[in-house]
Amino acid sequence: MFGMTPAEFIEKHAAEYAPFDFVFVDADHSKESVMADITGIWPYVSPEGLVLAHDVNPETVQDTEKGYCGDGWRAAQELLKSHEGVVLPYHPGLLIMRKRETWGPIA
């Protein structure tokens, strides 16, 4: 749509189009790329917004090769240490993260 990398979009346009209620990440499947995409867009996600990432549950060693799930699944494991979310346990997997800013009833 924009003809640029996610990093370029975040740098040039994210603030202009924010806040995002829903972001879907299906990048090059490397841990570094998945981390950069999610942590880069995270400040622009709306309160209670969702960020999803694809290909984060490899079943076999072959699935961890570049072009399949790569090592992007490692980013999901790392992100879930500090963010609310879950990986749907099917292959190739889906990470769902929620940007929770409040707990309990919203006044």
Side-chain angles (χ1 to χ4, degrees):
M1 180 171 167
F2 285 89
M4 59 186 64
T5 67
E8 291 170 333
F9 174 82
I10 291 166
E11 180 182 334
K12 295 176 181 177
H13 299 291
E16 175 185 354
Y17 290 98
F20 300 100
D21 295 325
F22 179 89
V23 176
F24 184 77
V25 175
D26 191 17
D28 76 0
H29 303 108
S30 70
K31 177 184 177 186
E32 295 77 22
S33 177
V34 174
M35 289 295 293
D37 291 349
I38 292 176
T39 59
I41 201 67
W42 194 256
Y44 303 103
V45 174
S46 65
E48 310 301 325
L50 297 173
V51 175
L52 281 68
H54 190 241
D55 297 329
V56 294
N57 190 41
E59 282 186 320
T60 67
V61 173
Q62 181 182 0
D63 294 332
T64 64
E65 294 176 6
K66 190 173 182 173
Y68 296 98
C69 294
D71 67 348
W73 60 275
R74 294 182 189 274
Q77 288 184 333
E78 188 171 324
L79 288 162
L80 289 176
K81 293 176 184 176
S82 59
H83 295 77
E84 178 182 7
V86 64
V87 171
L88 299 183
Y90 71 92
H91 176 72
L94 184 68
L95 169 67
I96 304 172
M97 293 174 43
R98 180 177 178 192
K99 187 174 184 179
R100 168 109 48 177
E101 295 189 350
T102 60
W103 289 88
I106 299 174

